[in-house]
Amino acid sequence: MTEKRVVVTGTGVISSLGLNFDEFWKNIKSGKNGITLVEGFSTENFPTKVAAEIKNFNPEDFIDKKEARRLDRYAQFALAAAMEAYAQSGLDKADFDKNRMGVYVASGVGGMQTIENQYNIFHDQGGRRISPFSVTMMIANMGAGKIAIDLGAKGPAECVVTACASSTYAVGNAMRLIQRGDMDVMIAGGAEAPLTQFSLSAFAANRSISFAEDPDGACKPFDINRSGFVMGEGGAILVLEEMQHAVDRGAEIIAELVGYGATCDAYHFTAPDPEGDGAFRCMQNAIRDAGIDVADIDYINAHGTGTELNDKTEVMAIRRLFGENEKNVSISATKSMTGHTLGAVGALEAIITAAAIKEGFVPPTINLTEIDPECSLSGIVAGKGLYRDIEYAMSNSFGFGGHNATLVLKKFRRDD
């Protein structure tokens, strides 16, 4: 049976760089830094003081006031981003079979703020004071569940949890459902709201997070002076659609999703395979799945966290896979601007990659002033973005536990 073609018809974003896609993409193109000093709580006694914090998000601008109070911040982000993506796709005005629409929305942790807040109430006031909505607010699948409820999506609704690769897995697995004809539409992506005192302390203890005190230059992927990742929060949702379904209703198509690869390092809880083998096989599988050659890839949105080990091993894997073709590939690490939004970041970067293809624009890696020789790639775009034609592009996500996922997108042409 011939696989169905899968296209992107809608994108929604809640980010420190914008509360909608248009604002977000404008700031990505201009190389704006979305990382600031944390204001949600005092960081006086914390070694980490910066994050990609969303400071002006009012859930009631997107969600009914009563409903918003019953959702954790991560689920608010997910729902707000989903509503934008759905409206952008035009499906909100379309007549179609919602039994053939599903939701795959990931979160690496789920309701972290609810867990922390409700535990503090339990500790200080006892169990009788805990909110009756605690369970539904903290569980990681409620973002997906609430989106399905509000959109009437009666296909499968799931939450994938694979650390920082979670929403890339969600998008890739959603693509598979459409390819094999099980679904016509999938709402796919991720959301995360991890900026709490406990989580910041936990990542500081883990030593993977940056201890930079100045938000300007805090996240420095591939730079010799990089000091770790910078935590972020937000939501990112894509509407994936079977191509003919989208064409028949006259939808505007942003890009086509053509390849997906997933592997596990099977090596360590937090450290990547030192040879970059899992990342190499993941990218190789995605390219093979797309039915193309490495020479066809024009742009890579790298995982590029700004940690010493991740950057080095990802570069190692890219060099091994692309060989001499590497010099023809433009590469950027957009976490330098967005921060690392954990379970949401794969979908966020898939949206950036789709927009890059549509507009023919490679976003920059900001803060890269002195490249680490071990991270040197000739195609890294530093400082300012550049315009170039992009036929095929790749987006990488690698997470704790050795989870790796890669997506390949292409410029849409109906007759391909």
Side-chain angles (χ1 to χ4, degrees):
M1 184 178 68
T2 303
E3 283 188 346
K4 304 285 188 180
R5 292 172 64 184
V6 182
V7 295
V8 180
T9 57
T11 56
V13 175
I14 300 292
S15 165
S16 64
L17 285 175
L19 301 183
N20 56 67
F21 168 77
D22 288 341
E23 182 184 4
F24 172 76
W25 179 238
K26 177 183 176 182
N27 287 327
I28 286 289
K29 286 180 66 181
S30 66
K32 184 175 180 179
N33 181 19
I35 296 165
T36 58
L37 292 171
V38 173
E39 296 180 2
F41 52 87
S42 173
T43 58
E44 182 179 355
N45 297 317
F46 290 76
T48 300
K49 303 182 185 302
V50 300
E53 182 180 42
I54 299 172
K55 303 182 189 300
N56 53 350
F57 176 77
N58 179 5
E60 294 173 26
D61 291 340
F62 305 90
I63 308 164
D64 175 77
K65 181 177 180 179
K66 183 178 179 181
E67 289 296 302
R69 292 205 312 268
R70 297 178 179 182
L71 296 172
D72 184 87
R73 185 170 168 90
Y74 96 92
Q76 294 171 353
F77 291 158
L79 186 57
M83 291 306 176
E84 181 191 11
Y86 195 67
Q88 188 189 95
S89 74
L91 285 168
D92 58 333
K93 296 179 175 63
D95 181 18
F96 67 102
D97 184 359
K98 292 191 176 182
N99 292 312
R100 294 184 58 80
M101 176 170 68
V103 181
Y104 276 12
V105 172
S107 184
V109 180
M112 178 64 79
Q113 290 191 353
T114 296
I115 294 169
E116 186 167 315
N117 292 340
Q118 293 302 309
Y119 177 78
N120 288 336
I121 291 171
F122 170 76
H123 183 272
D124 296 339
Q125 303 176 43
R128 292 183 181 275
R129 303 299 300 173
I130 291 175
S131 168
F133 301 108
S134 295
V135 173
T136 53
M137 289 174 71
M138 72 183 183
I139 54 180
N141 67 300
M142 196 47 64
K146 179 59 174 168
I147 291 167
I149 291 167
D150 283 18
L151 296 184
K154 296 184 178 181
E158 297 183 12
C159 172
V160 183
V161 181
T162 50
C164 306
S166 296
S167 55
T168 305
Y169 271 78
V171 174
N173 290 335
M175 177 187 79
R176 294 283 189 245
L177 285 183
I178 297 173
Q179 281 181 331
R180 67 180 185 234
D182 293 346
M183 291 290 118
D184 295 326
V185 177
M186 291 295 295
I187 312 300
E192 206 80 83
L195 297 183
T196 73
Q197 295 183 64
F198 173 77
S199 62
L200 213 60
S201 299
F203 277 106
N206 179 265
R207 310 295 294 185
S208 59
I209 203 166
S210 173
F211 292 159
E213 296 191 1
D214 183 357
D216 292 326
C219 186
K220 301 172 72 69
F222 308 129
D223 196 282
I224 197 164
N225 294 311
R226 66 194 185 278
S227 60
F229 82 89
V230 175
M231 191 183 294
E233 60 178 350
I237 302 293
L238 300 89
V239 174
L240 307 183
E241 198 166 348
E242 192 273 322
M243 184 198 73
Q244 197 59 50
H245 189 274
V247 168
D248 287 348
R249 66 181 187 85
E252 180 180 352
I253 293 172
I254 300 165
E256 185 170 359
L257 187 56
V258 293
Y260 170 52
T263 63
C264 186
D265 287 353
Y267 174 75
H268 190 269
F269 285 134
T270 57
D273 182 327
E275 302 300 320
D277 184 64
F280 166 80
R281 290 184 293 107
C282 186
M283 291 186 288
Q284 185 181 56
N285 290 346
I287 288 173
R288 183 183 298 121
D289 187 51
I292 60 173
D293 186 77
V294 292
D296 295 316
I297 298 291
D298 299 307
Y299 168 58
I300 300 173
N301 187 297
H303 187 56
T305 59
T307 61
E308 180 181 355
L309 292 178
N310 173 266
D311 289 2
K312 184 169 63 175
T313 54
E314 183 174 13
V315 167
M316 189 182 304
I318 291 171
R319 286 175 180 162
R320 179 183 167 191
L321 180 61
F322 284 84
E324 290 190 1
N325 286 308
E326 177 268 315
K327 65 180 182 294
N328 301 316
V329 183
S330 297
I331 301 164
S332 58
T334 50
K335 290 182 183 68
S336 57
M337 296 177 278
T338 68
H340 193 339
T341 56
L342 308 183
V345 80
L348 194 68
E349 291 171 354
I351 288 172
I352 292 171
T353 304
I357 291 170
K358 183 179 180 183
E359 195 154 330
F361 181 82
V362 176
T365 304
I366 67 170
N367 307 325
L368 178 53
T369 55
E370 185 179 355
I371 197 161
D372 182 341
E374 291 191 278
C375 296
S376 179
L377 290 167
S378 57
I380 292 178
V381 177
K384 293 184 177 181
L386 62 87
Y387 284 94
R388 67 165 291 182
D389 186 61
I390 303 172
E391 187 71 21
Y392 288 93
M394 171 186 290
S395 182
N396 286 334
S397 298
F398 311 130
F400 282 176
H403 302 289
N404 308 304
T406 295
L407 299 170
V408 175
L409 297 92
K410 74 178 293 285
K411 186 178 294 186
F412 174 70
R413 292 183 177 83
R414 182 175 177 178
D415 296 328
D416 282 359

PDB file of all heavy atoms in Angstrom, residues 154-172:
ATOM      1  N   LYS A 154     -11.686  12.756  18.116  1.00  0.00           N
ATOM      2  CA  LYS A 154     -12.101  11.465  18.663  1.00  0.00           C
ATOM      3  C   LYS A 154     -11.207  10.307  18.251  1.00  0.00           C
ATOM      4  O   LYS A 154     -11.509   9.151  18.519  1.00  0.00           O
ATOM      5  CB  LYS A 154     -13.556  11.197  18.278  1.00  0.00           C
ATOM      6  CG  LYS A 154     -14.508  12.218  18.898  1.00  0.00           C
ATOM      7  CD  LYS A 154     -15.958  11.913  18.615  1.00  0.00           C
ATOM      8  CE  LYS A 154     -16.864  12.933  19.299  1.00  0.00           C
ATOM      9  NZ  LYS A 154     -18.303  12.658  19.063  1.00  0.00           N
ATOM     10  N   GLY A 155     -10.088  10.625  17.569  1.00  0.00           N
ATOM     11  CA  GLY A 155      -9.086   9.603  17.300  1.00  0.00           C
ATOM     12  C   GLY A 155      -8.216   9.405  18.534  1.00  0.00           C
ATOM     13  O   GLY A 155      -8.557   9.869  19.623  1.00  0.00           O
ATOM     14  N   PRO A 156      -7.065   8.748  18.410  1.00  0.00           N
ATOM     15  CA  PRO A 156      -6.206   8.537  19.569  1.00  0.00           C
ATOM     16  C   PRO A 156      -5.655   9.844  20.107  1.00  0.00           C
ATOM     17  O   PRO A 156      -5.316  10.754  19.345  1.00  0.00           O
ATOM     18  CB  PRO A 156      -5.088   7.645  19.024  1.00  0.00           C
ATOM     19  CG  PRO A 156      -5.091   7.865  17.557  1.00  0.00           C
ATOM     20  CD  PRO A 156      -6.506   8.145  17.186  1.00  0.00           C
ATOM     21  N   ALA A 157      -5.587   9.948  21.433  1.00  0.00           N
ATOM     22  CA  ALA A 157      -5.003  11.118  22.091  1.00  0.00           C
ATOM     23  C   ALA A 157      -3.971  10.604  23.081  1.00  0.00           C
ATOM     24  O   ALA A 157      -4.319   9.883  24.021  1.00  0.00           O
ATOM     25  CB  ALA A 157      -6.065  11.951  22.794  1.00  0.00           C
ATOM     26  N   GLU A 158      -2.715  10.969  22.862  1.00  0.00           N
ATOM     27  CA  GLU A 158      -1.628  10.405  23.663  1.00  0.00           C
ATOM     28  C   GLU A 158      -0.621  11.474  24.068  1.00  0.00           C
ATOM     29  O   GLU A 158      -0.527  12.543  23.453  1.00  0.00           O
ATOM     30  CB  GLU A 158      -0.891   9.310  22.875  1.00  0.00           C
ATOM     31  CG  GLU A 158      -1.751   8.122  22.513  1.00  0.00           C
ATOM     32  CD  GLU A 158      -0.975   7.027  21.805  1.00  0.00           C
ATOM     33  OE1 GLU A 158       0.279   7.085  21.785  1.00  0.00           O
ATOM     34  OE2 GLU A 158      -1.620   6.110  21.273  1.00  0.00           O
ATOM     35  N   CYS A 159       0.141  11.128  25.104  1.00  0.00           N
ATOM     36  CA  CYS A 159       1.255  11.959  25.546  1.00  0.00           C
ATOM     37  C   CYS A 159       2.515  11.112  25.535  1.00  0.00           C
ATOM     38  O   CYS A 159       2.611  10.127  26.263  1.00  0.00           O
ATOM     39  CB  CYS A 159       1.001  12.500  26.951  1.00  0.00           C
ATOM     40  SG  CYS A 159       2.418  13.365  27.673  1.00  0.00           S
ATOM     41  N   VAL A 160       3.461  11.479  24.700  1.00  0.00           N
ATOM     42  CA  VAL A 160       4.749  10.783  24.628  1.00  0.00           C
ATOM     43  C   VAL A 160       5.699  11.436  25.627  1.00  0.00           C
ATOM     44  O   VAL A 160       5.780  12.655  25.702  1.00  0.00           O
ATOM     45  CB  VAL A 160       5.358  10.892  23.217  1.00  0.00           C
ATOM     46  CG1 VAL A 160       6.651  10.109  23.118  1.00  0.00           C
ATOM     47  CG2 VAL A 160       4.355  10.417  22.168  1.00  0.00           C
ATOM     48  N   VAL A 161       6.431  10.630  26.396  1.00  0.00           N
ATOM     49  CA  VAL A 161       7.402  11.176  27.347  1.00  0.00           C
ATOM     50  C   VAL A 161       8.763  10.547  27.065  1.00  0.00           C
ATOM     51  O   VAL A 161       9.024   9.403  27.452  1.00  0.00           O
ATOM     52  CB  VAL A 161       6.977  10.914  28.805  1.00  0.00           C
ATOM     53  CG1 VAL A 161       8.003  11.525  29.761  1.00  0.00           C
ATOM     54  CG2 VAL A 161       5.594  11.487  29.081  1.00  0.00           C
ATOM     55  N   THR A 162       9.609  11.290  26.373  1.00  0.00           N
ATOM     56  CA  THR A 162      10.977  10.857  26.104  1.00  0.00           C
ATOM     57  C   THR A 162      11.930  12.036  26.323  1.00  0.00           C
ATOM     58  O   THR A 162      12.716  12.392  25.458  1.00  0.00           O
ATOM     59  CB  THR A 162      11.121  10.313  24.665  1.00  0.00           C
ATOM     60  OG1 THR A 162      10.560  11.255  23.742  1.00  0.00           O
ATOM     61  CG2 THR A 162      10.438   8.970  24.500  1.00  0.00           C
ATOM     62  N   ALA A 163      11.775  12.670  27.505  1.00  0.00           N
ATOM     63  CA  ALA A 163      12.632  13.785  27.901  1.00  0.00           C
ATOM     64  C   ALA A 163      12.613  14.878  26.833  1.00  0.00           C
ATOM     65  O   ALA A 163      11.554  15.258  26.346  1.00  0.00           O
ATOM     66  CB  ALA A 163      14.045  13.290  28.202  1.00  0.00           C
ATOM     67  N   CYS A 164      13.802  15.359  26.457  1.00  0.00           N
ATOM     68  CA  CYS A 164      13.885  16.505  25.541  1.00  0.00           C
ATOM     69  C   CYS A 164      13.533  16.145  24.104  1.00  0.00           C
ATOM     70  O   CYS A 164      13.447  17.039  23.249  1.00  0.00           O
ATOM     71  CB  CYS A 164      15.285  17.112  25.596  1.00  0.00           C
ATOM     72  SG  CYS A 164      15.783  17.538  27.266  1.00  0.00           S
ATOM     73  N   ALA A 165      13.332  14.878  23.815  1.00  0.00           N
ATOM     74  CA  ALA A 165      12.918  14.455  22.473  1.00  0.00           C
ATOM     75  C   ALA A 165      11.413  14.202  22.401  1.00  0.00           C
ATOM     76  O   ALA A 165      10.901  13.793  21.356  1.00  0.00           O
ATOM     77  CB  ALA A 165      13.674  13.180  22.081  1.00  0.00           C
ATOM     78  N   SER A 166      10.695  14.468  23.487  1.00  0.00           N
ATOM     79  CA  SER A 166       9.282  14.078  23.596  1.00  0.00           C
ATOM     80  C   SER A 166       8.419  14.566  22.442  1.00  0.00           C
ATOM     81  O   SER A 166       7.689  13.788  21.813  1.00  0.00           O
ATOM     82  CB  SER A 166       8.699  14.581  24.918  1.00  0.00           C
ATOM     83  OG  SER A 166       9.312  13.980  26.032  1.00  0.00           O
ATOM     84  N   SER A 167       8.453  15.864  22.154  1.00  0.00           N
ATOM     85  CA  SER A 167       7.525  16.367  21.136  1.00  0.00           C
ATOM     86  C   SER A 167       7.969  16.038  19.718  1.00  0.00           C
ATOM     87  O   SER A 167       7.149  16.028  18.791  1.00  0.00           O
ATOM     88  CB  SER A 167       7.292  17.875  21.297  1.00  0.00           C
ATOM     89  OG  SER A 167       8.490  18.604  21.280  1.00  0.00           O
ATOM     90  N   THR A 168       9.255  15.726  19.524  1.00  0.00           N
ATOM     91  CA  THR A 168       9.681  15.228  18.216  1.00  0.00           C
ATOM     92  C   THR A 168       9.132  13.824  17.999  1.00  0.00           C
ATOM     93  O   THR A 168       8.662  13.487  16.901  1.00  0.00           O
ATOM     94  CB  THR A 168      11.216  15.240  18.095  1.00  0.00           C
ATOM     95  OG1 THR A 168      11.681  16.549  18.379  1.00  0.00           O
ATOM     96  CG2 THR A 168      11.671  14.836  16.703  1.00  0.00           C
ATOM     97  N   TYR A 169       9.170  13.000  19.036  1.00  0.00           N
ATOM     98  CA  TYR A 169       8.524  11.684  18.968  1.00  0.00           C
ATOM     99  C   TYR A 169       7.035  11.847  18.682  1.00  0.00           C
ATOM    100  O   TYR A 169       6.454  11.099  17.876  1.00  0.00           O
ATOM    101  CB  TYR A 169       8.698  10.939  20.290  1.00  0.00           C
ATOM    102  CG  TYR A 169       9.936  10.094  20.395  1.00  0.00           C
ATOM    103  CD1 TYR A 169      11.187  10.656  20.646  1.00  0.00           C
ATOM    104  CD2 TYR A 169       9.869   8.711  20.278  1.00  0.00           C
ATOM    105  CE1 TYR A 169      12.327   9.881  20.768  1.00  0.00           C
ATOM    106  CE2 TYR A 169      10.997   7.915  20.397  1.00  0.00           C
ATOM    107  CZ  TYR A 169      12.231   8.505  20.641  1.00  0.00           C
ATOM    108  OH  TYR A 169      13.356   7.724  20.755  1.00  0.00           O
ATOM    109  N   ALA A 170       6.385  12.814  19.343  1.00  0.00           N
ATOM    110  CA  ALA A 170       4.950  13.016  19.154  1.00  0.00           C
ATOM    111  C   ALA A 170       4.636  13.361  17.697  1.00  0.00           C
ATOM    112  O   ALA A 170       3.708  12.796  17.098  1.00  0.00           O
ATOM    113  CB  ALA A 170       4.445  14.121  20.079  1.00  0.00           C
ATOM    114  N   VAL A 171       5.415  14.264  17.119  1.00  0.00           N
ATOM    115  CA  VAL A 171       5.191  14.655  15.722  1.00  0.00           C
ATOM    116  C   VAL A 171       5.473  13.485  14.786  1.00  0.00           C
ATOM    117  O   VAL A 171       4.712  13.206  13.852  1.00  0.00           O
ATOM    118  CB  VAL A 171       6.054  15.877  15.354  1.00  0.00           C
ATOM    119  CG1 VAL A 171       5.948  16.196  13.860  1.00  0.00           C
ATOM    120  CG2 VAL A 171       5.641  17.100  16.176  1.00  0.00           C
ATOM    121  N   GLY A 172       6.577  12.779  15.027  1.00  0.00           N
ATOM    122  CA  GLY A 172       6.928  11.639  14.175  1.00  0.00           C
ATOM    123  C   GLY A 172       5.898  10.527  14.233  1.00  0.00           C
ATOM    124  O   GLY A 172       5.515   9.960  13.198  1.00  0.00           O
TER     125      GLY A 172
END
